[in-house]
Amino acid sequence: YAGGSFLNFIKLNHGRIVVGRVNLFVYGTLMSGFDLNGVLTRDEGEKVRDAELDEFDLYVVLGEGYPYIIPGKGRVKGEIWDIPRNRLRTIDIVENVSSKLYRREGVTTVDGTECHAYVWGGKDFPAAQIDHGDFRRYYREATDINRQ
């Protein structure tokens, strides 16, 4: 995925050409229904559909509860969002890209959609793998356990 080229600056959205919009694959607290989703819904960000990403593994930082992905052998469930390109700078700040907590990379979902995604930057924190690759399910199950 060659982010930054003129052809990637123009994309089709529901059959019309839209300048300055990109796809973003999200798998954690940026998904709909979570606290950070408002970062995507500003400036006419729209959820396109649910999606999956192959050859990545999903982890959650212990004690913090936020997820990350790294290249691996699993499948991660998430959502594709259509957002203004300039919104990526704000999300870079939210995801601590400058401190290398995450890095933004080009990925291709199982259905062939090219997207940006935030991949773990390599910081060494205690973490647990979420084998089923679904942060929403993990969060729901963890919340249910804490209510008991």
Side-chain angles (χ1 to χ4, degrees), residues 26-93:
V26 297
Y27 53 85
T29 55
L30 288 170
M31 289 192 298
S32 55
F34 287 94
D35 292 343
L36 294 179
N37 183 251
V39 175
L40 302 181
T41 59
R42 289 187 204 117
D43 299 328
E44 301 179 359
E46 297 178 2
K47 180 181 172 184
V48 177
R49 66 182 164 280
D50 293 334
E52 296 181 337
L53 189 61
D54 267 345
E55 299 182 14
F56 279 88
D57 293 329
L58 179 65
Y59 288 82
V60 65
V61 175
L62 298 176
E64 300 294 329
Y66 58 85
Y68 65 87
I69 58 173
I70 59 172
K73 296 182 182 193
R75 178 175 279 192
V76 176
K77 296 178 189 298
E79 301 170 346
I80 297 173
W81 281 75
D82 172 69
I83 61 170
R85 177 177 289 282
N86 62 5
R87 177 59 52 195
L88 289 172
R89 287 190 297 264
T90 301
I91 302 168
D92 284 353
I93 293 167

Side-chain angles (χ1 to χ4, degrees), residues 97-136:
V97 169
S98 65
S99 67
K100 298 184 177 22
L101 188 62
Y102 291 90
R103 65 183 184 274
R104 182 167 22 104
E105 293 187 0
V107 298
T108 303
T109 61
V110 171
D111 69 2
T113 304
E114 293 182 343
C115 302
H116 293 272
Y118 288 89
V119 177
W120 192 241
K123 299 274 185 179
D124 189 20
F125 293 124
Q129 185 172 359
I130 302 172
D131 292 328
H132 52 69
D134 184 346
F135 182 74
R136 189 177 304 281

